[in-house]
Amino acid sequence: MASDALSPDDVDELARRAQAGDSDALEALLSAVRPRTLNVCRGVLPHLADAEDACQEALISVAAKIGTWNGRGRFTSWLHVVAVNAARSTYRRLKRQAIPVDVAPAERPDPRTTSVIAGTRLDLLEAMETLEREHPQLVEPLLLRDVYGLPYDEIAGLVGVPLGTVKAQIHHGRRLARPMLRATE
């Protein structure tokens, strides 16, 4: 059963039942949201195998931490945050595991745009890594707005800060990230 076949209210109801300990509801919920979760992960990790790893990690997190969904916003919005975090975690793991290739300088690809991880938008991921080290509160709102297009009010509910603060964080994050991003032709 795909989440597209379920209404948002149906997904929320499955999540509430799963929170209450209904293992059948949890199984149905995970099956229903898997395609959405994979799509979110593919937005960060375009290589299908990497995205599938991140999706699996996200679904495990959902099963383990479903009790942390507060039920005020849509379950799928909470899921979005879990999936983005799983994809970024997978990216960091793959980056640590990457074996440097000794390439002559003239043949070395531009490291801002070419990834050893199958075409990932490396400049964006590196910018988010830098922002996370220096301004961790800016990363999640910025990704949720500019990469995934969530509305400001939904982001405010997800991160638990006032709407004006979210807008300011996103504006500040954009200003800091812009110089780190390579212009796309």
Side-chain angles (χ1 to χ4, degrees), residues 152 156 159-167 169:
Y152 291 107
V159 299
V161 298
L163 181 61
T165 302
V166 163
K167 288 181 177 182
Q169 287 174 333

Side-chain angles (χ1 to χ4, degrees), residues 139-162:
V139 174
E140 189 173 6
L142 184 61
L143 283 173
L144 292 173
R145 179 66 187 156
D146 288 355
V147 176
Y148 294 102
L150 292 182
Y152 291 107
D153 58 339
E154 202 169 315
I155 296 167
L158 286 170
V159 299
V161 298

